[in-house]
Amino acid sequence: IIPVILALMEPQHVDEEGYALLRRWQKRHGNAVVVDFNYNPIMLYQFFKKHRRSLRYVGPQFHVQLVAHLAGLRLLPVVYDNKVAQLLNKLGYEYQLAIADISAKDIEAFVEPGGRP
């Protein structure tokens, strides 16, 4: 079982409903932990850089994808709009997944050792 960090990339007070959903997921899955994201973005970069060999990022946020890429972290290139697609194109990600089409199998394939993309 792979450990999972669940975070909305916003402080909890910004999205109480979203964090409630994450806490329900955490209760259902013993490998998940919810993190209240109230960190400075530079700290996120440092965390990603320090743990880049053991972490994977799955999420559509433009700025977090950029930070993950700059830190050398593997990321699943999830696209929700043209802005994100253009960023991923500029960064050299040929394989991209539309957020509406992503499946659990896509995520499982990505997090497996040696998994795509």
Side-chain angles (χ1 to χ4, degrees), residues 34-47:
V34 175
V35 174
D36 182 359
F37 190 80
N38 56 2
Y39 301 98
N40 178 311
I42 294 170
M43 296 303 293
L44 176 64
Y45 171 79
Q46 290 176 331
F47 177 78

Side-chain angles (χ1 to χ4, degrees), residues 22-64:
L22 295 185
R23 285 190 292 277
R24 288 194 300 274
W25 288 353
Q26 180 180 14
K27 287 180 183 177
R28 275 189 262 157
H29 305 283
N31 61 323
V33 62
V34 175
V35 174
D36 182 359
F37 190 80
N38 56 2
Y39 301 98
N40 178 311
I42 294 170
M43 296 303 293
L44 176 64
Y45 171 79
Q46 290 176 331
F47 177 78
F48 280 175
K49 189 142 182 90
K50 180 178 180 180
H51 300 285
R52 69 180 172 256
R53 288 181 180 84
S54 60
L55 288 177
R56 306 287 184 269
Y57 176 72
V58 178
Q61 290 91 349
F62 177 94
H63 293 95
V64 183

